[in-house]
Amino acid sequence: MASQKRITKTNTLPKTKRGKIADRSTAPNPQELAECMNNPPEGISVALPNDSDVHRWHVTISGPPGTAYAGGTFGLVVTLPAEYPFKAPTVRFSTRVYHPNVTNDSLGSICLGVLKAENWKPASKMLGVLEAVRALLAEPQPDDPLENHIADEYKRDRAQFDKNARAHTAKYARGPPSFAAAAKETTTRAP
């Protein structure tokens, strides 16, 4: 009888900070990341600030043409939880933006239906999320605001809203986006 070779597969998954082997279920789908990085939607680019952390993405969005955000470059920080895709990612603007559905502060929280826990589906794709964020810049949803006064202005005085959004874009969204404030905020808020 010929000798049989025993084939063993080594675990090549990265180790966690505590030295334990990372569970494959906690890593995002590498194909989804590659698709977002190599074939992003128009006006969007995706980068990893740290190649060893696939749970944190830096996204750059160009302001949609024909909007008050045109010509601006906006940064987003996407954080994929360990439970992704079963739990929605956290998506925040690192660039300040004058918008009814984005908090007008350094947190940059976004009110977007697809990101709400009750609407998130494991089959949801990050490409769709990124497209939805860019679409939100093109078409705000003033009936589901985070900033009520901006939503009221959008509904009642669109010209003034556009003027204020353009001024905010000129002040905060010229040149490459900074992700430093968002990184600091995430670090200080982590458990």
Side-chain angles (χ1 to χ4, degrees):
M1 185 150 85
S3 67
Q4 295 180 351
K5 290 184 179 179
R6 187 174 202 158
I7 300 172
T8 59
K9 185 176 179 183
T10 59
N11 193 336
T12 58
L13 294 173
K15 291 186 176 183
T16 64
K17 289 181 182 177
R18 294 186 179 151
K20 295 180 181 177
I21 299 295
D23 181 357
R24 189 173 301 280
S25 66
T26 66
N29 180 344
Q31 290 173 322
E32 186 175 16
L33 173 60
E35 186 177 2
C36 288
M37 291 180 78
N38 299 330
N39 193 21
E42 182 182 343
I44 298 175
S45 65
V46 177
L48 293 179
N50 179 348
D51 288 338
S52 66
D53 184 3
V54 294
H55 291 275
R56 184 181 221 36
W57 301 5
H58 284 177
V59 178
T60 302
I61 296 182
S62 299
T67 70
Y69 308 104
T73 305
F74 301 88
L76 288 177
V77 174
V78 175
T79 306
L80 303 176
E83 301 84 7
Y84 180 83
F86 301 102
K87 185 176 177 187
T90 301
V91 181
R92 298 179 325 138
F93 275 92
S94 63
T95 305
R96 291 187 98 154
V97 57
Y98 191 84
H99 195 285
N101 307 105
V102 180
T103 57
N104 194 14
D105 58 19
S106 63
L107 294 179
S109 299
I110 302 171
C111 183
L112 185 62
V114 70
L115 294 174
K116 292 180 179 180
E118 64 270 15
N119 297 335
W120 181 256
K121 306 284 185 259
S124 300
K125 298 287 184 197
M126 283 306 303
L127 278 176
V129 170
L130 299 177
E131 289 171 336
V133 172
R134 189 159 191 260
L136 193 64
L137 286 176
E139 193 173 319
Q141 303 297 314
D143 294 329
D144 192 15
L146 285 175
E147 295 288 347
N148 290 322
H149 71 285
I150 297 175
D152 288 342
E153 181 180 75
Y154 181 85
K155 290 194 262 188
R156 294 183 185 6
D157 190 351
R158 181 65 186 268
Q160 186 61 43
F161 167 82
D162 286 345
K163 180 181 175 184
N164 288 336
R166 276 197 225 32
H168 234 70
T169 298
K171 183 174 182 177
Y172 297 106
R174 295 293 183 220
S178 171
F179 298 98
K184 180 180 175 188
E185 184 63 34
T186 302
T187 303
T188 59
R189 301 184 88 216

